[in-house]
Amino acid sequence: MTDEIKKDFIREKVVADVASGKFGGKVVTRFPPEPNGYLHIGHAKAICLDFGVAAENDGVCHLRFDDTNPSAEDVEYVESIEEDVRWLGFDWAEHLYYASDYFEKMYGYAVELIKKDKAYICTLNTEQFKEYRGVPTRPGKESPSRSRPVTESLDLFERMKDGEFDDGAYVLRVKIDMTSPNLHMRDPVIYRIKKEDHHRTGDAWCIYPMYDFAHCIEDSIEGVTHSLCTLEFEVHRPLYDWILDALGIHHSQQIEFARLNLTYTIMSKRKLLELVEGGHVTGWNDPRMPTICGLRRRGCTPEAIRAFMKHIGITKVNSLTDTALLESFIREDLNKRSLRVMGVLRPLKVVIDNYPEDQEDQIDAVNNPEDPAAGSRKISFSRELYIEQDDFMEDPPKKFFRMAPGREVRLRYAYFITCQEVVKNDAGEIVEIHCTYDPETKGGDAPDGRKVKATLHWVSAKHALEAEVRLYDRLFTEENPADESDGKDFKDKLNPDSLEVVKAFVEPSLKGASGGDRCQFERLGYFCVDSEDSTEEKLVFNRTVALRDSWKKMQGKK
Ligand code: ATP
Ligand code: MG
């Protein structure tokens, strides 16, 4: 995992264009989200590419809200997108734009196309439209409206704009080729009537441009040199080029790359919104969501996301990336920066019978073995402790080396203890275990050199703080929930066990920890204080990732 940027076909093309002086040697890119939802990790791939390519070539990258469809767009989304792009570590400086600011210009360009007899007002209804369009293997038919005189189209277009007609009564289409094998070239619609208010332009417009018409014009107006987008737009590129050529305006180069797909999650704002609205998650920033704000709340760092994006690189082949790979980058980054602390998620009480009741001792614990500058801290040891239930078995199988009756183990940084007795309730459940400790082993080593096979984390019962810990698992039970070819809705593939909440005990050094603080609970994983629900009275932690790196393991096996 190196820091070096992998050369990909897009970066090579941009570097070649700079060298050849195309676009005057300039590089202008843009990240063009539609503000109809929160950004997800897929968008982060585009953001890293758009801003990255610009920065590597002394260019600029614009943040442009592609807000041409009023229906689902909202300022809440605009604000969250700005916050998320900034958090990822990118800066658009003064280059913040809105497609809606170009509505007037777009209208003007549409009028120009009509005047050039390259666009016409069509009256076919939806069914007729479909029938006339044909299918890829069968050419379409020309609409009777195609021969409408220019003056008539100009008049109707103006009256559409003035609100004289109902939604769907007329559309504006460009005149290309109804026999083209590419359906997008069969006289596509470029303007439609939509009597809806827009979150920025209010009721100023009741006709709105279609994506294919708007996007190339937005790029052109802003002088974008390389318009990077995902593969599904490849078939739209001839239309992108046709419109700019027909208008004879600045012509940006559209280049497509494969989108990011991750296993066990989905990458569609529309589907993510369904999860939010259906109450399947607590919100866009639910830590199980693949959104940037969800990942942030879960404890993921922007550095980890950027390193992951660098690693996967840019290709032209659609694929499904293992979520475990992203997790391994999160783990690697958190390993460097997280302080180690102890917390017990499922507590089992341990009483040290030979440790005096009123005694306490201070144990030195290392804050981060990866970072000597992080120093050490004191933790309290006392007669009653908690260890993890999982770390004890009354009747252990051969390969279980942790605590069991009669066995000696090490308590991290503290002492060797030996289990003497198991106490059960009437139902036969283990409620506590009794041990003895060896005072000679303070710090965790025996002067006589004897070894133990396990080191357990622990907290002192009377010193520990209670905390709620949220353990997350995959949001879906299937690798590719978006694939609905099995006839099942993606929501039927939600994992019912994606969240487990436990009442834990954590060491007192965590008192006063605030939202976003990160740590590693030794032997358990990386956690962070929840930014929404944690308070002074009640600590709430999210598990960012468990400690075990299943990705590296998988790679090792190959
Ligand atoms: P969604 O289906 O989630 O709404 P979108 O493509 O409609 O995605 P936009 O807001 O239009 O969302 O996307 C802004 C930019 O992010 C576009 O350039 C788009 O190509 C890119 N993008 C979206 N999803 C991904 C992804 N999964 N991987 C890479 N880039 C993506
Ligand atoms: Mg979209």
Side-chain angles (χ1 to χ4, degrees):
M1 299 182 188
T2 65
D3 255 9
E4 221 169 279
I5 295 156
K6 281 190 210 160
K7 280 282 172 221
D8 51 62
F9 70 98
I10 291 183
R11 290 182 156 89
E12 275 166 9
K13 167 112 186 66
V14 173
V15 167
D17 286 349
V18 170
S20 74
K22 192 175 174 187
F23 305 114
K26 280 199 310 188
V27 173
V28 180
T29 59
R30 86 288 172 264
F31 172 63
E34 182 182 358
N36 60 351
Y38 282 65
L39 296 182
H40 51 63
I41 181 90
H43 292 113
K45 177 175 180 178
I47 293 169
C48 289
L49 178 68
D50 293 326
F51 282 91
V53 163
E56 291 151 29
N57 293 282
D58 294 323
V60 292
C61 179
H62 301 178
L63 173 61
R64 178 207 309 146
F65 290 103
D66 205 348
D67 55 351
T68 54
N69 178 5
S71 304
E73 297 169 1
D74 199 274
V75 280
E76 174 194 350
Y77 301 135
V78 168
E79 285 162 8
S80 74
I81 289 170
E82 289 188 26
E83 181 184 2
D84 290 349
V85 175
R86 262 197 212 101
W87 179 77
L88 279 170
F90 299 102
D91 183 9
W92 54 90
E94 71 273 30
H95 299 290
L96 177 66
Y97 304 105
Y98 291 87
S100 54
D101 286 343
Y102 311 142
F103 280 166
E104 196 65 52
K105 278 190 182 161
M106 288 177 190
Y107 179 78
Y109 283 133
V111 168
E112 206 177 312
L113 289 181
I114 301 175
K115 284 186 180 158
K116 288 182 171 169
D117 200 18
K118 287 176 192 279
Y120 60 97
I121 298 292
C122 185
T123 50
L124 292 183
N125 63 32
T126 316
E127 286 94 85
Q128 291 168 323
F129 184 90
K130 264 194 202 141
E131 192 212 313
Y132 274 76
R133 192 173 55 169
V135 291
T137 48
R138 176 165 51 82
K141 283 188 299 186
E142 293 185 356
S143 159
S145 300
R146 208 176 200 253
S147 53
R148 190 189 300 282
V150 166
T151 46
E152 212 176 294
S153 281
L154 281 175
D155 174 61
L156 285 171
F157 191 44
E158 186 166 358
R159 289 163 59 196
M160 273 167 68
K161 180 179 80 132
D162 292 341
E164 277 188 40
F165 313 117
D166 291 337
D167 287 15
Y170 294 101
V171 290
L172 180 66
R173 301 174 69 173
V174 277
K175 204 180 268 189
I176 309 182
D177 178 6
M178 290 307 292
T179 64
S180 169
N182 182 344
L183 287 187
H184 297 283
M185 297 299 271
R186 293 188 188 172
D187 291 12
V189 174
I190 61 167
Y191 259 96
R192 68 213 189 289
I193 303 170
K194 203 165 196 171
K195 293 197 163 160
E196 271 180 55
D197 283 3
H198 185 279
H199 70 101
R200 292 190 79 243
T201 57
D203 62 0
W205 295 87
C206 62
I207 55 169
Y208 291 95
M210 301 298 286
Y211 176 89
D212 281 328
F213 179 67
H215 204 85
C216 56
I217 291 177
E218 295 158 24
D219 285 343
S220 180
I221 291 172
E222 292 176 17
V224 167
T225 58
H226 300 84
S227 179
L228 313 178
C229 61
T230 36
L231 280 185
E232 68 273 21
F233 291 104
E234 194 164 15
V235 285
H236 297 241
R237 183 167 12 107
L239 179 55
Y240 183 103
D241 290 337
W242 186 93
I243 294 169
L244 295 179
D245 287 341
L247 290 168
I249 54 180
H250 168 78
H251 198 141
S252 327
Q253 172 69 53
Q254 175 179 308
I255 311 175
E256 310 84 16
F257 63 95
R259 54 171 55 224
L260 170 69
N261 296 302
L262 280 180
T263 54
Y264 300 103
T265 192
I266 45 170
M267 292 285 163
S268 146
K269 280 180 285 188
R270 185 180 58 76
K271 289 195 166 104
L272 294 172
L273 177 65
E274 262 186 81
L275 294 182
V276 173
E277 289 186 332
H280 301 285
V281 292
T282 58
W284 285 97
N285 68 349
D286 186 305
R288 291 167 293 183
M289 290 278 270
T291 48
I292 305 296
C293 55
L295 286 160
R296 173 165 67 234
R297 181 168 168 200
R298 183 153 167 171
C300 176
T301 62
E303 289 84 354
I305 295 178
R306 294 199 305 260
F308 168 70
M309 296 303 170
K310 249 179 215 171
H311 177 86
I312 58 171
I314 299 295
T315 70
K316 249 187 160 9
V317 187
N318 274 324
S319 63
L320 191 58
T321 301
D322 198 321
T323 294
L325 179 62
L326 171 62
E327 287 176 353
S328 83
F329 276 89
I330 297 173
R331 204 174 278 116
E332 181 168 304
D333 182 61
L334 294 179
N335 179 42
K336 287 178 269 178
R337 64 172 81 225
S338 303
L339 296 184
R340 273 57 171 170
V341 289
M342 290 201 280
V344 174
L345 299 185
R346 294 174 186 86
L348 170 64
K349 190 169 222 180
V350 175
V351 181
I352 313 284
D353 288 329
N354 61 339
Y355 194 93
E357 224 156 301
D358 50 2
Q359 193 174 309
E360 236 179 78
D361 81 272
Q362 297 299 307
I363 308 276
D364 279 317
V366 176
N367 285 336
N368 185 358
E370 298 285 316
D371 176 13
S376 65
R377 69 190 182 287
K378 299 273 185 208
I379 44 181
S380 303
F381 187 88
S382 66
R383 180 180 159 90
E384 294 194 351
L385 315 166
Y386 293 117
I387 63 168
E388 213 67 63
Q389 285 169 18
D390 276 1
D391 281 335
F392 177 80
M393 281 186 92
E394 192 179 14
D395 190 13
K398 246 194 164 148
K399 288 205 166 145
F400 185 88
F401 299 114
R402 291 165 277 160
M403 196 55 139
R407 194 176 282 176
E408 185 171 55
V409 299
R410 175 189 294 110
L411 291 180
R412 181 88 159 140
Y413 301 122
Y415 297 99
F416 284 12
I417 61 169
T418 305
C419 177
Q420 308 293 354
E421 192 196 340
V422 179
V423 180
K424 294 182 186 174
N425 61 16
D426 293 342
E429 297 155 347
I430 300 170
V431 289
E432 61 182 44
I433 62 171
H434 284 248
C435 300
T436 50
Y437 86 117
D438 177 356
E440 297 299 312
T441 56
K442 185 164 183 177
D445 283 308
D448 63 5
R450 76 180 188 278
K451 299 282 179 223
V452 286
K453 286 211 169 116
T455 301
L456 310 185
H457 60 274
W458 56 276
V459 291
S460 161
K462 74 172 168 207
H463 298 97
L465 308 173
E466 206 178 293
E468 175 178 315
V469 179
R470 299 172 180 172
L471 305 168
Y472 302 104
D473 201 345
R474 296 163 170 159
L475 189 49
F476 292 92
T477 50
E478 288 183 23
E479 266 208 336
N480 190 6
D483 176 5
E484 292 175 343
S485 59
D486 55 2
K488 280 199 289 178
D489 185 86
F490 76 100
K491 295 189 291 306
D492 295 337
K493 302 165 190 172
L494 280 162
N495 177 5
D497 304 317
S498 59
L499 171 62
E500 185 190 356
V501 180
V502 296
K503 202 188 87 180
F505 287 106
V506 302
E507 65 169 75
S509 68
L510 288 162
K511 192 169 174 54
S514 52
D517 286 358
R518 301 185 180 91
C519 61
Q520 183 203 89
F521 283 130
E522 296 219 24
R523 300 178 64 229
L524 298 176
Y526 296 96
F527 293 75
C528 85
V529 179
D530 188 67
S531 51
E532 303 256 312
D533 301 332
S534 197
T535 61
E536 289 234 351
E537 291 75 45
K538 185 187 170 201
L539 271 173
V540 180
F541 287 91
N542 296 315
R543 181 171 69 194
T544 312
V545 277
L547 217 48
R548 220 181 60 138
D549 193 336
S550 52
W551 177 257
K552 279 201 180 131
K553 267 202 165 149
M554 269 155 51
Q555 297 309 90
K557 273 189 195 146
K558 273 185 191 160

